[in-house]
Amino acid sequence: MKKQFVKTENYSRFVAAVRAVEQRGAAEAGLLLLHGLPGLGKSHTADRWAVDTGAIFLRAKVDWTPRYFLKDLAATLRTVDTSGSSQQLFGRLLDHLARSQQPLVIDEAEFTLARQAQVLEKIRDISDYAEITVVLIGMEKIQKMVARHGQIHSRIAQAVEFQPATLADVAYACGLLSEVPMTEALCAEVHRLSGGRMREVLNIIATVERVARESGLDKADVEHFRGVALSYDWQMRRPRTVHAGAGAAA
């Protein structure tokens, strides 16, 4: 499978929301909340955006304390001394971020809400004082969790809920990533079997490629995969297979 980044509709909405935060009127309203169901590509999208823009990407840890977070942030930056008191470390980080204006991305942000949201309060302070954009990534319930903390919730300038990938997104991904060309009908089956979860789309494309190579196919169509398990439903504990009638009505 080709190593490419797929710019889906979710990606476009996320980038538009980032621009809106960057153009905000209130300097302290620098938080963007990115949320949605697992497997829709939230982390992958934000990570790619961070690489492209020079933003800092951190994955929150279950045992983060404010100081542990600050040390992780400093270690990621590499140029900030991690020694001294928490207050000294915080000051050095503020100085660096205020000058660099690097956005900050926090994945699995639910972990920042433990212990009365002490870590998220520290992240809020960094956003306030350095006036940088902070992207918080979480599951579908994080918006309600953050809403319990009014002083933080009021600083969320934008919230983006990732949706399942559209058929157009999936067809684009299949065309961009698959080393074996796939017909429109098979792309539609990839969309149906994946439920629009980009993580699952990538796994299915890899399976299609493997089966196609083993079968010596130059192009993959539904007729080659009818009854073939391209995915697995872990809740129902059964494989997801290409429909017998796929191609006529996927």
Side-chain angles (χ1 to χ4, degrees):
M1 190 163 63
K2 300 172 186 174
K3 299 296 183 183
Q4 299 279 352
F5 177 73
V6 183
K7 293 184 178 180
T8 63
E9 290 185 18
N10 282 327
Y11 170 84
S12 298
R13 293 192 300 114
F14 169 67
V15 171
V18 170
R19 291 198 191 103
V21 174
E22 291 173 343
Q23 297 168 5
R24 63 192 180 273
E28 70 276 10
L31 304 183
L32 186 156
L33 187 61
L34 176 57
H35 62 105
L37 293 168
L40 297 181
K42 300 182 299 297
S43 299
H44 185 58
T45 296
D47 185 41
R48 175 55 186 255
W49 174 80
V51 171
D52 289 345
T53 62
I56 307 153
F57 189 97
L58 284 178
R59 180 169 286 110
K61 298 180 177 65
V62 66
D63 55 347
W64 256 9
T65 61
R67 179 170 176 80
Y68 187 1
F69 155 67
L70 293 175
K71 287 181 74 69
D72 265 3
L73 178 55
T76 300
L77 290 170
R78 297 183 180 179
T79 57
V80 176
D81 182 7
T82 61
S83 65
S85 68
S86 294
Q87 185 176 1
Q88 291 170 326
L89 178 55
F90 182 72
R92 286 194 292 270
L93 285 167
L94 274 186
D95 180 64
H96 174 93
L97 293 171
R99 285 185 287 104
S100 70
Q101 284 297 291
Q102 290 172 274
L104 174 61
V105 180
I106 305 293
D107 196 10
E108 299 189 11
E110 288 89 352
F111 293 141
T112 68
L113 289 159
R115 294 175 287 276
Q116 290 77 50
Q118 292 178 0
V119 175
L120 191 51
E121 290 279 9
K122 189 60 66 177
I123 293 169
R124 180 199 69 162
D125 286 344
I126 287 176
S127 178
D128 280 1
Y129 295 127
E131 296 186 4
I132 62 170
T133 298
V134 174
V135 178
L136 303 171
I137 308 173
M139 296 302 182
E140 67 274 17
K141 294 181 180 179
I142 193 171
Q143 193 166 20
K144 291 183 178 179
M145 296 168 68
V146 174
R148 298 170 190 158
H149 305 275
Q151 73 280 14
I152 298 172
H153 190 260
S154 64
R155 284 166 165 76
I156 296 177
Q158 293 283 320
V160 179
E161 181 178 4
F162 264 35
Q163 303 294 333
T166 64
L167 175 57
D169 284 335
V170 173
Y172 176 60
C174 291
L176 185 67
L177 301 177
S178 181
E179 295 182 1
V180 178
M182 297 166 60
T183 64
E184 183 178 334
L186 185 55
C187 290
E189 274 298 275
V190 175
H191 180 253
R192 181 186 68 82
L193 293 170
S194 67
R197 295 180 296 275
M198 285 305 297
R199 186 182 301 160
E200 192 68 10
V201 169
L202 300 182
N203 288 335
I204 294 174
I205 291 173
T207 301
V208 167
E209 283 184 340
R210 176 179 55 79
V211 174
R213 287 197 184 97
E214 291 172 353
S215 303
L217 300 175
D218 294 325
K219 189 172 185 178
D221 190 16
V222 287
E223 66 183 52
H224 306 121
F225 291 88
R226 287 195 176 104
V228 175
L230 294 181
S231 180
Y232 193 85
D233 188 331
W234 294 102
Q235 290 183 322
M236 301 299 293
R237 297 184 180 180
R238 64 186 183 192
R240 297 189 182 101
T241 60
V242 174
H243 273 168

